[in-house]
Amino acid sequence: MSAEDLENYETEMELALYREYRDVVGLFSYVVETERRFYLANQVDLQVRSAAGEVYFELRLADAWVWDVYRSARFVKSVRVVTFKDVNVEELAKAELSL
């Protein structure tokens, strides 16, 4: 497989992922961004924690979809993320979710 073939394959995978996102976005109430992933979810619990003087975030999602081109199963029942980085949670009106 050439470098061009690999690039074309990755482009096709990203396009398929975007199309899947477009098809499922209306099923979810929240958009969540972490430093590593982008999620759609119907339940979000974000807690600010501290240990040994360090602040971190514990994020729990239920009924979620994960933006990850390399995952075969993007729908997940629950997700737990622990991070020292920023977390962005947005609750969107249903009208805003349609593309």
Side-chain angles (χ1 to χ4, degrees):
M1 179 177 269
S2 71
E4 184 178 334
D5 290 339
L6 182 59
E7 187 174 321
N8 288 339
Y9 174 76
E10 289 177 348
T11 300
E12 289 173 18
M13 293 290 291
E14 286 284 338
L15 183 57
L17 181 61
Y18 171 75
R19 288 179 178 143
E20 182 178 332
Y21 166 82
R22 186 186 60 202
D23 291 343
V24 303
V25 69
L27 303 174
F28 297 95
S29 300
Y30 296 92
V31 175
V32 180
E33 287 181 272
T34 69
E35 80 277 6
R36 297 197 55 193
R37 296 277 193 278
F38 176 88
Y39 302 91
L40 299 172
N42 282 320
Q43 294 178 348
V44 177
D45 179 31
L46 178 63
Q47 300 293 320
V48 179
R49 310 270 192 217
S50 64
E54 295 287 332
V55 174
Y56 65 95
F57 303 98
E58 182 176 1
L59 176 66
R60 292 182 184 268
L61 308 175
D63 186 24
W65 181 88
V66 184
W67 179 287
D68 187 339
V69 72
Y70 300 107
R71 287 181 70 105
S72 59
R74 288 185 266 280
F75 288 96
V76 291
K77 184 177 179 177
S78 63
V79 176
R80 179 177 177 250
V81 177
V82 177
T83 181
F84 289 94
K85 306 283 185 173
D86 290 341
V87 175
N88 183 41
V89 178
E90 295 180 33
E91 182 176 10
L92 300 175
K94 288 295 181 183
E96 292 178 76
L97 291 174
S98 62
L99 296 177

